[in-house]
Amino acid sequence: MAWADRALAEPTAAGAMLLTGLTGTGKTHQAYGALRRIAAGGPERFELIAVNSADMYGHLRPSHVMGASERELRRLSTVQLLFLDDFGTSKTSEWTEEITYRLINYRYNHCLPTIITSNLPARDADGPDLTDFVGDRVASRLAEMVTTLVPMIGDDRRRGRGAA
């Protein structure tokens, strides 16, 4: 709620909110809660794109339509508010690192509010973390850009329903 209130009051100072945790802990639900708070208290009209990372990379893959992927990257980079769900779940490649760098670098340089959810921890000395997915350049920008880190702890809420 505090991040959403900052995004409403002064969007360029809000930075990014990163919600991390295992599958099913409620990251996406909480992120949409922040978006609902912004919508309820915000301007009559604001731009928002909410996309999971697998779909985002799918839309950004080169296609037979000249310039389509560049236009999509520009749209994601410049939108007033971006919610990137399941960040770090796609297969890492030089291409995904480059696209991720270009997206995060633009949003970082222009101080655009961003919500990111990930199953990967921000930092983990014992196992894979977000740095392993995004690379050092993006991880450095995220370290400064993320003003609110929300670790989500608990069991998979989806599997807990109606379990025998």
Side-chain angles (χ1 to χ4, degrees), residues 76-144:
L76 293 167
S77 297
T78 61
V79 69
Q80 184 179 358
L81 182 59
L82 177 66
F83 170 28
L84 187 54
D85 199 19
D86 287 332
F87 193 58
T89 58
S90 301
K91 185 176 178 183
T92 304
S93 68
E94 286 182 24
W95 180 82
T96 58
E97 281 190 30
E98 177 189 341
I99 292 297
T100 304
Y101 172 78
R102 289 178 62 198
L103 173 67
I104 297 299
N105 189 59
Y106 187 94
R107 297 193 67 78
Y108 168 81
N109 286 338
H110 293 87
C111 302
L112 295 170
T114 308
I115 299 175
I116 302 169
T117 66
S118 180
N119 291 346
L120 297 172
R123 273 279 191 219
D124 187 350
D126 298 327
D129 60 33
L130 209 47
T131 302
D132 297 325
F133 174 73
V134 299
D136 289 331
R137 292 184 306 163
V138 173
S140 174
R141 282 159 179 80
L142 285 174
E144 186 172 349

Side-chain angles (χ1 to χ4, degrees), residues 21-36:
L22 299 176
T23 301
T25 54
K27 298 177 299 295
T28 303
H29 180 78
Q30 291 299 320
Y32 274 110
L35 295 174
R36 280 190 299 277

Side-chain angles (χ1 to χ4, degrees), residues 159-164:
R159 293 181 185 227
R161 293 185 191 152

Side-chain angles (χ1 to χ4, degrees), residues 2-51:
W3 181 88
D5 291 342
R6 272 197 319 277
L8 273 168
E10 195 173 345
T12 58
M17 178 171 61
L18 173 62
L19 297 100
T20 63
L22 299 176
T23 301
T25 54
K27 298 177 299 295
T28 303
H29 180 78
Q30 291 299 320
Y32 274 110
L35 295 174
R36 280 190 299 277
R37 186 169 182 91
I38 292 169
E44 192 171 301
R45 182 179 182 279
F46 66 94
E47 293 179 284
L48 160 71
I49 295 176
V51 64

